[in-house]
Amino acid sequence: LAQVGPLPPPALCFARDRLRVAAMAMKYLGAYLMAVIGGKEAPTAEDIKTILEAGGIEFEQEMIDRVIEKMDGKQAHELIA
């Protein structure tokens, strides 16, 4: 067996995983904000899906639904403030 080297400490693995999740979440939020800039006051899941598909970006419907749920009743400027 080839030796790969020492494994990173658990805290580093946890931090790396959190960054990966945060980066993944940003594409959904970015698509939401693009829809707002495009004139949608309250973008739908279909709006986000359309934007991501247009960019050739893979997505998870569950994540899109989560963004819509979290943004329900909120204005986009509340995200930025």
Side-chain angles (χ1 to χ4, degrees), residues 14-54:
F14 178 73
R16 185 175 47 218
D17 288 343
R18 287 190 66 195
L19 285 174
R20 187 176 301 131
V21 169
M24 186 174 74
M26 288 302 294
K27 71 180 175 185
Y28 300 101
L29 216 41
Y32 183 92
L33 290 173
M34 288 176 73
V36 170
I37 290 169
K40 298 278 189 170
E41 190 171 315
T44 64
E46 192 61 34
D47 295 327
I48 294 173
K49 182 179 171 182
T50 299
I51 290 168
L52 294 173
E53 285 177 336

